[in-house]
Amino acid sequence: MSTTDMGGLSPRKTFLGHPRGLVILFFTEMWERFSFYGMRAMLTVYLIQHFLFGPEEAQGIYAAYAALVYLMPVIGGLIADKYLGSRKAVIIGAVLLVLGHFTMAFEGTGGRERITIGDTTYAIEVDGRNQDRKLFAVNGAERVEIEVTPEGVKRIGAADTRVPPAQVEPGGAPGAPVAPVTAVDAPAGGFPAFTPVGGYSLDTTRDTQVGEPLLFLALSLIIVGVGFLKANISTVVGALYEENDPRRDGGFTIFYVGINLGSFLATIACSYLGYTYGWAYGFGLAGLGMLAGLLTFILGQPWLEGRGAPPNPEKLAGTKVLGVPLEVVFWIGGLVAVFPTWLLIRRHEIIEAVLPWAAGAIFVAVVGYTVTRLKGTDRSRMLVAQVLIFFSVLFWALFEQAGSSLSLFADQSTAMPSWFNVGYTQSFNPGIIILLGPLVAGLWVALGKRGLEPSTPVKFAAALALVGSGFLLLAWASLNAANVDFRVPLMFLFLTYFLHTVGELFLSPVGLSMVTKLSVERVVGLMMGVWFLSSSVAHIAAGVIAKATATATVAGVVTDPALALQTYASLYNTIGWVGVGVGVLLLAISPVLKKGMAGVN
């Protein structure tokens, strides 16, 4: 540990050459991302398997949730900039996130599905959560393994007679072990060997009294919590460094590693517990991760040395609203905001209908402002920024299939080792970033020294082509490399994530930098809001794409694997060519855009 003098300020302690507060922010963000991505790795599959939402409905819920997660930081950032300061906003957000993640651990009874054949109704039970899960039809003492196919319902093996829990062997003491039950053929009138389509009916009920309301409450707490935390913790990182401090980029790179380290660890640990022992264990571990992040941030306040403080501490401390201190008002406001968010996430179709139009109106207004109020270099740079933001929407709409359709592709159409689970596939992206991120950053530096570094439009074009190529690879594999169970080797899904992640490294790190470099100073905050808003809209578009991959399930198990694989192949082929084609288009117009950037690379 050492000290260094920063621009005439009092000496500040450093750690490995950076302000020691970066250590606190690194671990805070690592644990926050641990909780966020640990939960996300299971969310879509959890909605389908536990609550028995259909794939289309589940992916709509996920899309609305993700859209609001990217929209709320715009509001949270404004509140912090004007009133609270970044540090206080981060604490409010972290508390809400802890509450949200722990609430996710309360599952309720989820969904229940029944099948009726003739005059007999059977409850459908599921054993397991991974790809080896099995369906059973249960009626009293009869429990039969079944398979639901496009042709009908098949009985697999023989029925068994289960001894009621209270029953014991003759002469045995209460609680003594019972003898193993021997499977016998189904008696007359038992579950038939095969029932064709039309000969049975399915009925689904969900826990709408406790489980579902708690689920949406948890998601709402997380959404509002991210709104207070996501943008503001990055602001605190920036506040650790003085203007033009050459260590700033390195500090953000270290911080970015924390994000992906948390994501990588979470998708492994939370998925292992969730799929092996139960969803509550996985979500509970995510909650513990967020609690660790909150405690790290609170206990590490001295190391931040006052950075990220309110813009006007005296005014914040002295202002009251109806006798309530202003800071307390924002704590109350955060909790109150959970309720309208809860209503919106339950009616995700409202978000899907309204957000794109609202975002479009804002975008048109910003373009109109640029054209009518700005001139010369300011106008051309702003227009280029808006064009690139527009293209980024398509990239994120394709890239963010990771949390929805690609998760279900992993579950329904990918061949995995027995020790592997669906959630582990979500570790591919952060793992690749940890390995390749420094290499790509070094590549840009090396090319820059030789005057060969691609311009920002060219990097965006390459990103679009890469994300499109990933889907084309998966579409090809679906048509040419699937096994007899209509599953594609896991390696193809990994390679898809590899191409997508390289595309992310080409676009994501330079995106925010591009906005700050090309925007007019007096509206840079507005443009950052437009950037986040575009990501929010991209998640709505991602949901529309993902829902087009949906095929029927029973108790969370896909009923027609062949149709599921064919549907994925068709859609991924289409969006793959769209991604590549739009990337080529952007590459073609990149010289014009580079000229409009007026000297900014």
Side-chain angles (χ1 to χ4, degrees):
M1 194 82 71
S2 63
T3 61
T4 182
D5 186 20
M6 297 296 299
L9 297 177
S10 60
R12 298 178 57 199
K13 293 182 179 180
T14 64
F15 182 81
L16 298 179
H18 286 272
R20 64 177 185 169
L22 185 63
V23 176
I24 300 303
L25 300 177
F26 175 95
F27 284 106
T28 300
E29 182 67 352
M30 185 193 79
W31 284 118
E32 188 275 327
R33 292 291 89 181
F34 182 97
S35 67
F36 183 85
Y37 282 98
M39 184 273 284
R40 194 191 83 155
M42 301 179 288
L43 180 57
T44 304
V45 175
Y46 172 67
L47 293 174
I48 293 173
Q49 285 194 23
H50 182 67
F51 283 99
L52 302 185
F53 288 107
E56 184 173 353
E57 177 76 1
Q59 293 180 118
I61 293 170
Y62 175 80
Y65 159 76
L68 290 175
V69 158
Y70 277 86
L71 181 63
M72 285 295 184
V74 179
I75 302 171
L78 291 173
I79 291 173
D81 288 345
K82 192 170 180 63
Y83 301 104
L84 284 176
S86 301
R87 282 189 292 118
K88 291 181 181 293
V90 167
I91 291 174
I92 294 175
V95 170
L96 292 172
L97 282 164
V98 169
L99 294 174
H101 284 293
F102 278 128
T103 303
M104 284 292 297
F106 292 93
E107 302 176 356
T109 58
R112 294 289 182 266
E113 200 145 26
R114 291 173 294 276
I115 183 170
T116 300
I117 300 175
D119 296 329
T120 307
T121 297
Y122 298 82
I124 297 180
E125 295 180 354
V126 183
D127 282 0
R129 298 170 193 84
N130 206 16
Q131 291 185 328
D132 58 353
R133 60 191 185 273
K134 298 177 180 179
L135 298 181
F136 292 87
V138 180
N139 181 13
E142 185 181 9
R143 189 173 194 260
V144 184
E145 184 180 350
I146 63 172
E147 180 183 6
V148 183
T149 71
E151 293 77 30
V153 181
K154 300 177 182 178
R155 187 187 73 195
I156 299 176
D160 64 39
T161 303
R162 296 183 299 165
V163 180
Q167 184 176 338
V168 298
E169 289 292 306
V178 299
V181 177
T182 303
V184 297
D185 290 336
F191 200 94
F194 177 75
T195 305
V197 172
Y200 66 90
S201 62
L202 291 167
D203 175 58
T204 303
T205 58
R206 291 197 294 270
D207 181 9
T208 57
Q209 299 302 310
V210 177
E212 275 193 37
L214 281 177
L215 165 70
F216 291 117
L217 174 62
L219 294 178
S220 301
L221 285 163
I222 293 170
I223 289 166
V224 179
V226 170
F228 276 100
L229 186 144
K230 185 176 177 62
N232 292 312
I233 195 168
S234 298
T235 303
V236 181
V237 175
L240 293 176
Y241 300 89
E242 306 303 320
E243 188 175 354
N244 299 320
D245 188 332
R247 302 173 300 167
R248 178 186 292 265
D249 286 350
F252 271 100
T253 299
I254 294 171
F255 183 69
Y256 195 59
V257 170
I259 292 174
N260 289 284
L261 180 61
S263 304
F264 179 79
L265 295 174
T267 50
I268 299 296
C270 295
S271 294
Y272 172 74
L273 289 180
Y275 282 91
T276 306
Y277 297 105
W279 303 115
Y281 293 96
F283 292 131
L285 180 61
L288 288 174
M290 190 60 244
L291 181 59
L294 172 62
L295 294 175
T296 299
F297 191 76
I298 291 175
L299 296 176
Q301 290 293 296
W303 282 30
L304 298 178
E305 300 176 340
R307 304 292 165 143
N312 192 332
E314 295 79 13
K315 183 177 180 180
L316 178 65
T319 303
K320 294 187 176 182
V321 178
L322 299 177
V324 179
L326 185 58
E327 183 175 344
V328 177
V329 168
F330 285 112
W331 278 93
I332 296 171
L335 291 171
V336 170
V338 170
F339 179 68
T341 306
W342 181 79
L343 293 176
L344 281 175
I345 200 72
R346 296 199 72 172
R347 297 290 303 277
H348 59 85
E349 63 275 6
I350 297 176
I351 302 172
E352 295 169 1
V354 174
L355 183 58
W357 287 101
I362 293 171
F363 193 80
V364 169
V366 172
V367 173
Y369 169 84
T370 302
V371 172
T372 60
R373 302 291 296 276
L374 301 178
K375 295 180 180 180
T377 300
D378 287 346
R379 176 194 289 177
S380 65
R381 286 179 176 175
M382 283 278 286
L383 287 175
V384 170
Q386 290 153 26
V387 169
L388 292 177
I389 288 173
F390 180 81
F391 278 101
S392 75
V393 172
L394 176 61
F395 174 84
W396 293 118
L398 301 185
F399 180 87
E400 289 298 340
Q401 295 301 306
S404 52
S405 75
L406 284 176
S407 284
L408 296 188
F409 182 90
D411 179 46
Q412 299 170 353
S413 302
T414 303
M416 297 180 182
S418 59
W419 54 268
F420 205 87
N421 69 52
V422 174
Y424 290 167
T425 63
Q426 297 292 298
S427 70
F428 293 161
N429 171 254
I432 294 168
I433 286 178
I434 292 171
L435 294 175
L436 293 188
L439 298 179
V440 173
L443 174 65
W444 299 145
V445 172
L447 292 176
K449 290 179 179 178
R450 295 167 175 79
L452 299 175
E453 182 182 1
S455 65
T456 298
V458 171
K459 291 177 182 176
F460 272 53
L464 280 162
L466 284 165
V467 76
S469 297
F471 282 113
L472 290 177
L473 173 64
L474 206 54
W476 179 89
S478 299
L479 295 174
N480 298 280
N483 62 19
V484 294
D485 295 321
F486 305 102
R487 293 184 179 274
V488 171
L490 180 61
M491 178 57 66
F492 286 101
L493 185 59
F494 172 81
L495 291 173
T496 294
Y497 274 105
F498 180 87
L499 291 170
H500 286 189
T501 303
V502 175
E504 180 190 7
L505 289 170
F506 277 39
L507 183 143
S508 183
V510 302
L512 290 174
S513 176
M514 174 273 298
V515 172
T516 58
K517 288 188 295 187
L518 296 180
S519 299
V520 177
E521 185 174 354
R522 63 181 177 273
V523 294
V524 67
L526 173 64
M527 289 297 290
M528 290 296 291
V530 172
W531 173 263
F532 278 110
L533 183 61
S534 69
S535 297
S536 182
V537 173
H539 280 83
I540 294 298
V544 173
I545 294 170
K547 286 194 284 187
T549 66
T551 52
T553 59
V554 172
V557 178
V558 68
T559 60
D560 192 343
L563 177 61
L565 185 63
Q566 179 184 349
T567 303
Y568 285 122
S570 176
L571 186 73
Y572 287 168
N573 186 68
T574 299
I575 63 176
W577 282 116
V578 169
V580 171
V582 174
V584 171
L585 171 63
L586 181 55
L587 180 65
I589 65 173
S590 62
V592 177
L593 296 176
K594 184 176 181 180
K595 183 178 179 180
M597 294 169 70
V600 176
N601 191 31

